[in-house]
């Protein structure tokens, strides 16, 4: 089963080397694709490539690494990585679904989504805060472009 990121997607978490756990509003799926493969396929599904989306975000933000990706343009469906997108432990988080973040006990971070679901990622609070900020900035810039 192939998976495309959509408005219901909360997070894409690596499950093992070849599968992902996808969290949606009311469901959790094990998908026979890596998180990065899901990213590539989702970008293609919405008419672009991962590289094209990454380069566009880099250009807009002036950032070189761990850039957020616009999956779908009309609704600014944006996801951001917790680590290097190529890393086996990279989790992708849907920007618009994040309600708040909390510091974890062991230099990890709890992400609480708008539907009250939670996941904990092995990433520092500061890193997640920075990634949220970067993705929010991309969202704001794109919205301003559409309104001008």
């Amino acid at each position: 089963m192939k998976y495309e990121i959509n408005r219901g997607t909360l997070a894409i978490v690596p499950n093992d080397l070849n599968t992902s756990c996808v969290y949606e509003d009311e469901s959790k799926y094990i998908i026979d694709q890596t998180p990065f493969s899901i990213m590539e396929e989702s970008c293609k599904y919405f008419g672009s490539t991962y590289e094209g989306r990454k380069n566009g975000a880099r250009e807009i933000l002036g950032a070189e690494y761990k850039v957020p990706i616009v999956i779908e343009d009309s609704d600014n469906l944006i996801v951001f990585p917790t680590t290097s997108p190529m890393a086996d432990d990279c989790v992708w988080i849907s920007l618009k679904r994040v309600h708040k973040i909390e510091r974890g006990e062991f230099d990890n971070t709890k992400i609480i989504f708008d539907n009250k679901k939670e996941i904990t990622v092995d990433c520092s609070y500061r890193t997640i805060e920075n990634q949220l900020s970067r993705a929010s900035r991309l969202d704001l810039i794109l919205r301003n472009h559409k309104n001008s």
Side-chain angles (χ1 to χ4, degrees):
M1 172 177 157
K2 289 200 176 202
Y3 182 83
E4 278 87 29
I5 296 169
N6 60 71
R7 286 186 206 143
T9 306
L10 304 174
I12 302 167
V13 180
N15 188 51
D16 60 31
L17 284 178
N18 297 313
T19 65
S20 301
C21 183
V22 175
Y23 293 86
E24 281 193 354
D25 285 317
E26 301 302 325
S27 304
K28 178 176 154 183
Y29 306 102
I30 300 298
I31 304 294
D32 289 328
Q33 291 177 270
T34 64
F36 188 75
S37 173
I38 291 171
M39 290 298 301
E40 289 183 313
E41 291 297 320
S42 294
C43 289
K44 287 179 191 172
Y45 181 81
F46 289 108
S48 189
T49 64
Y50 174 81
E51 281 300 313
R53 298 288 191 185
K54 180 178 74 172
N55 291 337
R58 280 181 170 169
E59 190 71 27
I60 290 168
L61 294 172
E64 286 299 314
Y65 60 96
K66 294 196 298 187
V67 294
I69 300 296
V70 179
I71 298 295
E72 194 269 326
D73 294 75
S74 66
D75 194 34
N76 281 5
L77 181 57
I78 297 171
V79 295
F80 62 88
T82 58
T83 64
S84 167
M86 301 306 292
D88 290 337
D89 62 343
C90 182
V91 176
W92 289 89
I93 307 293
S94 179
L95 171 65
K96 290 184 179 179
R97 302 306 306 272
V98 175
H99 175 65
K100 67 179 181 174
I101 60 174
E102 296 177 353
R103 293 180 197 280
E105 294 180 33
F106 305 104
D107 200 34
N108 56 19
T109 306
K110 182 189 292 185
I111 300 172
I112 301 151
F113 296 98
D114 57 4
N115 65 351
K116 308 293 187 248
K117 282 193 177 182
E118 303 175 359
I119 64 169
T120 299
V121 294
D122 289 328
C123 201
S124 73
Y125 180 87
R126 177 98 171 116
T127 296
I128 297 299
E129 191 175 51
N130 285 342
Q131 287 301 96
L132 264 172
S133 175
R134 186 179 281 178
S136 296
R137 198 167 125 241
L138 178 62
D139 184 44
L140 180 63
I141 291 168
L142 291 174
R143 285 184 188 284
N144 286 339
H145 286 176
K146 287 178 184 173
N147 293 332
S148 58

